Amino acid sequence: MTTKRPAVFLDRDGTINVDAGYIDRLERLELYPFAIDAIRLFRRAGYLVVVITNQAGVAQGLYGEDFVETTARFLADRAKLGDTQIDGHYYCPHSPDAVVERYRVDCECRKPKAGMARRAAEELGIDLARSVVIGDRWRDLAVAQAVGARGIMVKTGYGATEALNPPPGMTADAVCDDLIGAAVWLLDHPVA
Ligand SMILES: [Mg+2]
Ligand SMILES: [Zn+2]
């Protein structure tokens, strides 16, 4: 019998890196200077770190899944350089109004749906109830709500404006300035 571990599910654009619209080449992937330090703190606190990202640019034909995988390797390399690691990387390439027909599906993975978190939980042995989702959009926090995890909104990316306009029934457990602020909050608020 194995013990399930809690995870921090991280949105990518606007949370780990600057949201520069559709990021279609590595030069546009600008990590926040504190991102790797935050990831190291999450892991030292006992959390797995899993990226869950909507990449509708694939559905729109702006870049391929191979490029999303390139960015995942890039992030993994940067984490390794910073003496830490990213334990899982999941992306949704779909969109209901995709230009590329094979991605035009009403999938279960596109946030606000929780498919990526559920799949990660199954594949990596994650205890969702002790986990947390961090992102700059309410659709990120909808994933938290759907799986019974805590949700933290960061005010980077769209977060500063999103935080002012919560959709009905949506709340964040915390609103933090950025990912390192979220790490500090989390260390200060362990699950009972
Ligand atoms: Mg985002
Ligand atoms: Zn999808």
Side-chain angles (χ1 to χ4, degrees):
M1 181 173 155
T2 52
T3 313
K4 287 186 179 185
R5 294 176 63 186
V8 171
F9 292 100
L10 294 178
D11 171 50
R12 196 190 83 181
D13 302 333
T15 301
I16 296 174
N17 56 273
V18 176
D19 192 328
Y22 289 113
I23 292 172
D24 56 0
R25 51 186 196 279
L26 273 184
E27 298 78 74
R28 301 193 65 193
L29 189 75
E30 185 191 340
L31 267 61
Y32 288 119
F34 44 76
I36 300 298
D37 290 331
I39 288 169
R40 190 187 314 101
L41 288 175
F42 294 136
R43 294 200 85 264
R44 287 206 179 145
Y47 292 90
L48 295 171
V49 171
V50 179
V51 175
I52 54 172
T53 176
N54 284 0
Q55 290 299 325
V58 174
Q60 302 309 336
L62 300 173
Y63 47 87
E65 292 194 52
D66 57 333
F67 176 70
V68 182
E69 277 152 22
T70 297
T71 63
R73 274 196 302 277
F74 177 82
L75 289 175
D77 289 347
R78 289 288 297 267
K80 201 170 175 187
L81 278 173
D83 238 351
T84 187
Q85 71 182 66
I86 293 167
D87 300 285
H89 195 293
Y90 296 82
Y91 64 92
C92 167
H94 311 112
S95 173
D97 47 26
V99 170
V100 185
E101 201 180 336
R102 70 177 179 282
Y103 296 117
R104 198 182 306 145
V105 287
D106 187 15
C107 65
E108 288 303 313
C109 43
R110 183 172 165 79
K111 296 179 284 189
K113 291 189 179 170
M116 290 188 281
R118 290 193 205 284
R119 188 175 147 208
E122 215 161 277
E123 293 181 353
L124 305 176
I126 291 168
D127 180 354
L128 289 170
R130 288 193 295 140
S131 295
V132 55
V133 183
I134 305 176
D136 68 319
R137 307 287 294 257
W138 288 109
R139 68 184 182 204
D140 298 310
L141 299 215
V143 174
Q145 207 162 63
V147 302
R150 291 189 291 174
I152 302 175
M153 176 161 287
V154 287
K155 289 164 91 176
T156 48
Y158 289 90
T161 45
E162 289 268 296
L164 300 174
N165 300 295
M170 289 291 311
T171 53
D173 290 279
V175 178
C176 299
D177 282 342
D178 53 31
L179 195 57
I180 201 82
V184 170
W185 185 89
L186 198 57
L187 295 180
D188 217 26
H189 295 80
V191 178

